[in-house]
């Protein structure tokens, strides 16, 4: 039985994924402190590693049409192990959602609305996400192209406006960093913007046709990755080595825009784009979390869980880290280590087991 | 504190009557469990009682107990 009645097209999936990946634009700052001027390389390497894994998500969704991650886990690993794995995923969804809600709060408190109480921002942001989620995935999918295009517009327009301030010698020297730092950077990038797309395993079950799912997942990922790459190149070219000392290199570089003293103080553009994109990302996470929990409990609808879950997430977001530094340190270590099996091991393993066992049996006609 | 009570009263008012009317007892039970957890956490936050951070526990488990960590610096 499917909890979600709405259906999305594979073209909408493309925009959902590209908007979702762009929602992590500010999070590449976690990598910048480690990989400095080589962030662009790390992004490409992270993408190269993540692509086969993410395509395995689409292949898994194609193999189990109409089923979400919790149902797939139950079928592949059995009731008990499947449920345990699903609880691990639910923990991951819950934590990642709270970090993203916190990111919005930190963004506003640091750059836009310093005097507003932190909890107030979190409550209103989470309530807006909860409202969007109660409308269903179909509504979010229908407006996804607007979010994706807004992100692309801000990224490319700010890049063009900053071209006169770019110094491409800032990318030198190449290959200067120790391997372990590059590896950590690749690990962060492959998990935070790209690997988090594992939540689409909760959404791809709503696809009306799965034929083009793999192709559109790849294209969506590519569009999102190009946007991240443009941001990484822009920040390094404009700020050079100083990008590691700013709380947000993106904000700092945008503040330098000065076209004939008319076009200045363009940082509001980043504020708007990031609010919209993180809202989109958080809504998808909250949706995935509510659907996963409802599926786990065997409920008919996920709607009653949305508001209490939003309430829990707000408090976790407000208390999980003591400061942005704490946030960065924990994410750069424990955060990416605990989520690695969920992103890189379990979905490809599920696909492999499903192939060996010939699952799902109802589709191949072997089951009774 | 008043805002907290108002918000949680609002959440209950928009969810509970529909669930009872449709006799969705399983949904009501799941809603109630999450609602109580959410209210308890919010109350702890409002009363300045430290809320345990799951990530701090995870960091302790992975870094301090299992010793898996990227070198700093």
């Amino acid at each position: 039985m499917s909890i979600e009645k709405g259906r999305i097209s594979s073209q909408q999936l493309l925009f959902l994924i590209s908007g979702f990946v762009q929602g992590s634009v500010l999070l590449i700052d976690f990598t910048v402190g480690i990989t400095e001027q080589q962030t662009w390389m790390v992004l490409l390497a992270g993408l190269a590693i993540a692509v086969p894994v993410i395509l395995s998500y689409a292949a898994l969704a194609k193999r189990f049409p109409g089923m979400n991650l919790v149902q797939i886990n139950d079928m592949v690993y059995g009731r008990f192990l499947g449920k345990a794995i699903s609880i691990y995923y639910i923990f991951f969804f819950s934590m990642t959602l709270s970090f993203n809600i916190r990111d919005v709060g930190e963004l506003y408190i640091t750059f836009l609305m310093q005097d507003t109480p932190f909890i107030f921002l979190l409550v209103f942001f989470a309530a807006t996400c909860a409202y969007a989620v109660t409308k269903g995935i179909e509504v979010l999918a229908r407006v996804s192209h607007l979010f994706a295009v807004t992100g692309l517009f801000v990224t490319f327009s700010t890049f063009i406006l900053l071209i006169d301030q770019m110094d491409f010698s800032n990318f030198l020297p190449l290959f200067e960093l120790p391997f372990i730092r590059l590896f950590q950077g690749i690990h962060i990038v492959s998990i935070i913007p790209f690997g988090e797309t594992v939540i689409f395993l909760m959404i791809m079950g709503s696809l009306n046709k799965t034929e083009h799912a793999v192709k559109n997942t790849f294209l969506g990922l590519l569009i999102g990755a190009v946007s991240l790459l443009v941001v990484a190149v822009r920040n390094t070219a404009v700020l050079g080595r100083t990008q590691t000392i700013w709380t947000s290199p993106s904000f700092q570089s945008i503040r330098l825009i000065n076209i004939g003293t008319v076009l200045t103080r363009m940082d509001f553009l980043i504020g708007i784009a990031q609010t919209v994109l993180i809202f989109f990302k958080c809504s998808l996470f909250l949706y995935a979390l509510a659907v996963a929990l409802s599926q786990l409990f065997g409920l008919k609808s996920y709607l009653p869980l949305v508001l209490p879950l939003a309430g829990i997430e707000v408090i976790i977001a407000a208390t999980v880290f003591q400061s942005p530094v704490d946030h960065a340190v924990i994410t750069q270590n424990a955060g990416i280590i605990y989520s690695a099996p969920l992103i890189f091991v379990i979905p490809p393993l599920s696909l492999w087991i499903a192939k060996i066992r010939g699952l799902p049996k109802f589709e191949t006609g072997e089951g009774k | 504190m008043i805002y907290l009570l108002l918000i949680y009263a609002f959440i209950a008012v928009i969810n509970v009557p529909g669930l009872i009317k449709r006799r969705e007892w399983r949904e009501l039970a799941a809603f109630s469990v999450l609602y109580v957890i959410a209210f308890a956490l919010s109350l702890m936050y409002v009363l300045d009682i430290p809320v345990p951070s799951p990530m701090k526990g995870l960091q302790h488990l992975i870094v301090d107990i299992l010793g898996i960590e990227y070198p700093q610096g």
Side-chain angles (χ1 to χ4, degrees):
Chain A
M1 184 194 67
S2 180
I3 288 175
E4 175 62 55
K5 305 284 183 290
R7 287 283 167 261
I8 59 170
S9 69
S10 54
Q11 200 179 7
Q12 287 170 335
L13 180 72
L14 184 155
F15 288 114
L16 280 168
I17 294 182
S18 66
F20 180 87
V21 173
Q22 289 184 72
S24 305
V25 162
L26 287 186
L27 302 180
I28 58 169
D29 297 347
F30 287 137
T31 326
V32 170
I34 296 167
T35 54
E36 299 172 14
Q37 79 277 15
Q38 292 178 30
T39 306
W40 65 276
M41 269 191 223
V42 165
L43 261 170
L44 287 178
L47 179 68
I49 289 168
V51 162
V53 181
I54 293 166
L55 293 184
S56 81
Y57 306 162
L60 198 62
K62 210 172 164 179
R63 197 173 178 91
F64 293 85
M67 293 172 83
N68 61 40
L69 184 60
V70 177
Q71 292 168 307
I72 295 172
N73 285 341
D74 277 355
M75 191 171 264
V76 173
Y77 299 101
R79 264 185 87 180
F80 293 104
L81 185 60
K83 292 252 183 306
I85 293 173
S86 298
I87 290 169
Y88 191 6
Y89 271 106
I90 287 168
F91 177 76
F92 168 70
F93 294 160
S94 167
M95 285 301 110
T96 315
L97 172 59
S98 67
F99 302 160
N100 281 287
I101 295 176
R102 190 182 172 91
D103 285 332
V104 173
E106 282 177 359
L107 175 78
Y108 273 77
I109 280 290
T110 318
F111 297 102
L112 302 166
M113 297 161 79
Q114 284 92 343
D115 297 328
T116 313
F118 189 54
I119 192 76
F120 177 85
L121 295 168
L122 302 188
V123 168
F124 273 81
F125 184 75
T128 317
C129 293
Y131 174 74
V133 172
T134 54
K135 296 291 165 196
I137 190 66
E138 209 174 306
V139 175
L140 274 171
R142 250 185 270 145
V143 292
S144 57
H145 61 284
L146 294 176
F147 294 112
V149 170
T150 307
L152 287 171
F153 169 75
V154 170
T155 303
F156 284 98
S157 59
T158 51
F159 185 87
I160 292 165
L161 291 173
L162 276 167
I163 278 180
D164 64 326
Q165 306 204 31
M166 287 183 187
D167 176 5
F168 287 93
S169 65
N170 284 338
F171 290 96
L172 299 172
L174 296 173
F175 305 108
E176 175 212 35
L177 291 172
F179 175 73
I180 190 71
R181 282 174 71 181
L182 282 180
F183 185 82
Q184 188 181 9
I186 293 169
H187 189 174
I188 295 172
V189 167
S190 62
I191 294 223
I192 291 180
F194 303 129
E196 284 175 355
T197 45
V198 73
I199 70 143
F200 282 91
L201 277 174
M202 294 302 304
I203 293 166
M204 285 174 183
S206 303
L207 279 172
N208 54 8
K209 285 180 202 154
T210 52
E211 293 136 45
H212 303 298
V214 176
K215 189 184 93 186
N216 284 341
T217 301
F218 178 68
L219 284 176
L221 195 66
L222 210 60
I223 294 171
V226 166
S227 183
L228 296 185
L229 194 66
V230 169
V231 169
V233 167
R234 179 195 71 200
N235 291 353
T236 306
V238 173
L239 299 174
R241 291 222 164 206
T242 61
Q243 66 172 333
T244 54
I245 60 171
W246 302 105
T247 321
S248 173
S250 289
F251 258 95
Q252 196 52 40
S253 55
I254 302 299
R255 280 177 175 167
L256 297 177
I257 292 177
N258 187 354
I259 310 288
T261 67
V262 178
L263 283 181
T264 55
R265 299 187 60 87
M266 303 292 279
D267 42 347
F268 76 93
L269 272 179
I270 293 273
I272 293 170
Q274 278 312 301
T275 309
V276 165
L277 289 169
I278 303 181
F279 156 75
F280 186 56
K281 191 177 170 191
C282 287
S283 301
L284 291 176
F285 260 110
L286 184 58
Y287 171 81
L289 180 63
V291 173
L293 266 176
S294 315
Q295 191 73 54
L296 195 74
F297 293 148
L299 309 183
K300 285 183 219 151
S301 163
Y302 65 89
L303 295 177
L305 306 189
V306 173
L307 281 173
L309 279 175
I312 294 173
E313 291 302 322
V314 165
I315 302 300
I316 297 178
T319 57
V320 69
F321 300 121
Q322 281 155 356
S323 66
V325 177
D326 200 27
H327 187 166
V329 168
I330 293 182
T331 305
Q332 286 163 355
N333 279 293
I336 54 169
I337 291 168
Y338 95 95
S339 48
L342 296 171
I343 288 163
F344 293 117
V345 181
I346 295 171
L349 187 68
S350 302
L351 188 63
W352 190 54
I353 294 173
K355 275 201 169 153
I356 290 173
R357 291 179 54 196
L359 295 171
K361 290 193 173 165
F362 60 78
E363 198 188 49
T364 52
E366 291 163 24
K368 295 169 184 79
Chain B
M1 188 68 176
I2 293 169
Y3 291 127
L4 177 73
L5 294 174
L6 282 175
I7 289 171
Y8 278 88
F10 175 72
I11 294 176
V13 164
I14 60 169
N15 279 297
V16 176
L19 291 173
I20 294 173
K21 209 170 154 187
R22 292 191 299 273
R23 298 179 166 271
E24 294 176 343
W25 306 122
R26 211 180 163 91
E27 283 73 13
L28 184 64
F31 167 80
S32 307
V33 170
L34 292 178
Y35 184 81
V36 168
I37 296 172
F39 186 73
L41 287 174
S42 307
L43 201 62
M44 283 168 79
Y45 182 82
V46 170
L47 298 176
D48 272 338
I49 301 169
V51 179
S53 162
M55 283 313 284
K56 284 275 159 72
L58 204 63
Q59 172 90 347
H60 180 67
L61 175 76
I62 292 174
V63 175
D64 301 335
I65 298 176
L66 299 175
I68 307 170
E69 188 187 13
Y70 280 103
Q72 301 297 314

